[in-house]
């Protein structure tokens, strides 16, 4: 048994079987890490042939990270909706905010490296800064919030970029070298960047709604797979149908002299503002309602599969290397960017050999580290920097002698967006 924060901040006992839920989330996060590897160092998926397999990771890996960020945000605060405002809720929010604030400068620093990668960490920090008030919402409210934001966010983005003086930015992941003040940084992270909060928060809210559920329940896990599949078909299939029947000709004319696909893939984060018909596409990183629904479906279905795979002890043993990568995802993400910058420049080529090398090394090193030193260095640093201020906020009168107000979860606030608080199972 282990303790979990209840709805009013009190500690309640949680069964040890929750471990299966935790490692299932870790495996899903590890797959997101490997998907990032595929996007960053794998072969160009637009060259054709077997390399098109990599296309499946484009847009979906980063969306999965954002989705799991929402899951971990809820697990970190105790799973049940927060009630009122007391020392325990204050401590939980303190930990969330500190970790969010730390991710922004880390992301800016990594973006300054010579990698050619659009670093997402600074955007993640803003997601957390904007999403924490939703910790007081229940599952139904979070589902409605995610659905409404998925519908209206892309429209708002299109209208704001059309009416404002932001221009039609194709790539933007800010670093310290791009600093033009906090206002410009906020505009990039929220609207004009490659992972803008205005169209990415639905992933976080959807993950928060999922984190409220009984993730160890077999019926829930199976429902994730079924509902996720349905959402993926609705998003991607719905877009295909609308484009084929209604907007395809308009898009082709607007894209001239380039093809529709070429124009979409020449940008990351949003669609062109030349014609609202672009809001009907669903390619990765387009930030349309169709893409958001489809990517949430993929993330939900994949989470259901990883939770199912980790129900049996044999599954946890076989998947242990992936569990280790997921538990150290922030460290892995940071390390792979440093490796690209110093030793494996993308100008030298993106190949299957390089992708396999990054994957094998990550699996081996993370498995070894986790079973010897347990926490990854970045996860440990985030824990130390956030846990002590939260402990001070909570005060000395801690129920059950607990040092944490969270409901558990090895990915409580790190792993690209959350640091692992215990590595027995990010």
């Amino acid at each position: 048994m282990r303790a979990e924060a209840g709805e009013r901040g009190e500690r309640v006992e949680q069964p040890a079987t929750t471990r299966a839920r935790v490692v299932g989330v870790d495996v899903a996060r590890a797959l997101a890490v490997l998907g990032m590897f595929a996007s960053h160092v794998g072969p160009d998926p637009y060259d054709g042939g077997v390399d098109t397999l990599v296309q499946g990771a484009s847009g979906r890996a980063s969306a999965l990270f954002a989705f799991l960020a929402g899951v971990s945000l809820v697990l970190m605060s105790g799973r049940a909706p927060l009630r009122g405002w007391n020392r325990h809720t204050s401590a939980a929010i303190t930990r969330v905010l500190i970790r969010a604030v730390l991710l922004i400068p880390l992301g800016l620093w990594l973006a300054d490296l010579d990698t050619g990668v659009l670093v997402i960490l600074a955007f993640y920090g803003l997601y957390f800064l904007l999403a924490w008030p939703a910790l007081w919402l229940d599952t139904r409210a979070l589902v409605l919030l995610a659905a409404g934001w998925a519908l209206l966010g892309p429209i708002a983005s299109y209208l704001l970029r059309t009416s404002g003086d932001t221009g039609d930015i194709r790539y933007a992941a800010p670093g310290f070298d791009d600093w033009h003040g906090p206002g410009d940084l906020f505009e990039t992270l929220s609207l004009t960047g490659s992972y803008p909060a205005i169209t990415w928060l639905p992933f976080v809210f959807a993950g928060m709604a999922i984190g409220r559920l009984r993730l160890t329940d077999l019926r829930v896990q199976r429902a994730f797979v079924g509902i996720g599949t349905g959402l993926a078909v609705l998003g991607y299939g719905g877009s295909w149908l609308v484009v084929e029947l209604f907007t395809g000709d308009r898009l082709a004319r607007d894209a001239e002299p380039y093809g529709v696909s070429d124009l979409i893939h020449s940008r990351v984060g949003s669609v062109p503002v030349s014609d609202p018909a672009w809001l009907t596409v669903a390619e990765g990183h387009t930030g349309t309602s169709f893409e958001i629904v489809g990517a949430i479906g993929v993330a939900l279905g994949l989470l259901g599969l990883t939770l199912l795979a980790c129900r049996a002890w044999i599954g946890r043993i076989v998947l242990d290397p992936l569990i280790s990568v997921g538990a150290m995802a922030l460290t892995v993400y940071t390390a792979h960017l440093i490796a690209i910058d110093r030793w494996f420049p993308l100008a030298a080529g993106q190949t299957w050999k390089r992708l396999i090398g990054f994957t094998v090394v990550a699996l081996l090193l993370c498995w070894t580290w986790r079973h010897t030193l347990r926490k990854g260095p970045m996860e440990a640093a985030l824990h130390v920097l956030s846990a002590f201020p939260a402990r001070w906020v909570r005060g000395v009168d801690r129920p059950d002698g607990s040092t944490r107000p969270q409901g558990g979860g090895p990915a409580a606030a790190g792993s690209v967006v959350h640091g692992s608080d215990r590595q027995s199972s990010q």
Side-chain angles (χ1 to χ4, degrees):
M1 304 285 286
R2 59 188 174 87
E4 178 174 335
E7 293 190 1
R8 292 180 173 80
E10 73 274 12
R11 306 288 291 186
V12 297
E13 290 302 310
Q14 186 179 32
T17 53
T18 303
R19 190 163 49 241
R21 174 200 69 193
V22 170
V23 297
V25 174
D26 285 343
V27 173
R29 188 173 292 107
L31 295 178
V33 171
L34 301 184
M36 289 271 192
F37 283 4
S39 298
H40 297 165
V41 302
D44 187 347
Y46 307 114
D47 285 344
V50 72
D51 292 353
T52 56
L53 292 174
V54 180
Q55 179 61 32
S58 179
R60 262 68 69 179
S62 48
L64 176 58
F65 266 127
F67 176 84
L68 294 174
V71 174
S72 295
L73 182 59
V74 164
L75 295 179
M76 181 181 179
S77 63
R79 202 182 74 170
L82 298 183
R83 295 288 184 263
W85 191 278
N86 51 49
R87 288 180 301 170
H88 305 296
T89 57
S90 299
I93 298 304
T94 296
R95 297 184 69 213
V96 170
L97 294 181
I98 289 177
R99 295 184 184 211
V101 169
L102 291 174
L103 286 175
I104 294 177
L106 176 60
L108 297 178
W109 175 71
L110 290 173
D112 284 335
L113 300 180
D114 186 19
T115 62
V117 172
L118 296 170
V119 180
I120 198 171
L121 286 186
F123 295 90
Y124 272 38
L126 182 62
Y127 302 162
F128 271 62
L129 290 177
L130 296 176
W132 68 265
L135 288 171
W136 276 264
L137 301 179
D138 60 17
T139 304
R140 178 174 298 180
L142 285 168
V143 169
L144 293 175
L145 179 61
W149 205 300
L151 176 63
L152 299 178
I155 298 174
S157 171
Y158 183 90
L159 294 176
L160 289 171
R161 290 183 295 112
T162 301
S163 60
D165 58 356
T166 61
D168 196 10
I169 300 176
R170 293 171 179 264
Y171 302 102
F176 286 113
D177 292 343
D178 307 307
W179 179 259
H180 297 292
D184 180 77
L185 176 63
F186 179 78
E187 181 181 272
T188 302
L189 297 180
S190 62
L191 179 63
T192 61
S194 294
Y195 310 98
I198 194 170
T199 53
W200 278 70
L201 278 175
F203 297 118
V204 180
F205 294 138
M208 293 175 69
I210 294 305
R212 296 262 188 253
L213 303 177
R214 296 182 178 275
L215 301 183
T216 54
D217 191 307
L218 178 60
R219 293 173 299 177
V220 171
Q221 295 169 358
R222 289 173 174 172
F224 286 173
V225 177
I227 295 173
T229 301
L231 289 175
V233 172
L234 177 63
Y236 297 120
S239 169
W240 176 85
L241 188 62
V242 171
V243 171
E244 286 292 316
L245 295 179
F246 302 107
T247 63
D249 291 339
R250 286 175 58 181
L251 294 175
R253 288 194 299 269
D254 195 63
E256 292 179 349
Y258 309 100
V260 172
S261 180
D262 291 338
L263 187 58
I264 289 175
H265 296 147
S266 68
R267 63 182 58 244
V268 173
S270 58
V271 293
V273 295
S274 53
D275 191 323
W278 288 106
L279 291 172
T280 63
V281 302
E283 296 289 335
H285 296 298
T286 52
T288 68
S289 297
F290 288 105
E291 192 234 340
I292 293 171
V293 171
I296 288 176
V298 171
L300 180 59
L302 188 58
L303 176 60
L305 291 174
T306 58
L307 290 169
L308 288 169
C310 291
R311 289 189 66 85
W313 64 269
I314 187 64
R316 293 193 290 274
I317 291 177
V318 171
L319 296 174
D320 196 51
L322 286 175
I323 293 170
S324 300
V325 171
M328 299 174 56
L330 178 60
T331 295
V332 175
Y333 184 85
T334 302
H336 102 281
L337 291 176
I338 295 174
I340 292 173
D341 175 58
R342 297 190 176 184
W343 301 294
F344 303 99
L346 296 187
Q350 297 164 262
T351 64
W352 280 105
K353 181 179 180 180
R354 177 170 291 194
L355 173 58
I356 293 172
F358 268 73
T359 300
V360 171
V361 170
L363 291 170
L364 290 176
L365 289 183
C366 289
W367 185 86
T368 303
W369 185 289
R370 175 171 164 264
H371 286 281
T372 53
L373 301 175
R374 300 179 71 80
K375 288 182 181 176
M378 300 296 293
E379 288 74 20
L382 275 183
H383 171 66
V384 170
L385 292 172
S386 62
F388 284 103
R391 191 177 303 168
W392 178 82
V393 169
R394 185 170 51 249
V396 296
D397 184 17
R398 294 188 297 271
D400 299 335
S402 170
T403 61
R404 295 185 290 154
Q406 68 175 62
S415 82
V416 174
V417 284
H418 325 292
S420 176
D421 284 333
R422 84 178 168 79
Q423 298 299 336
S424 63
S425 53
Q426 355 227 278

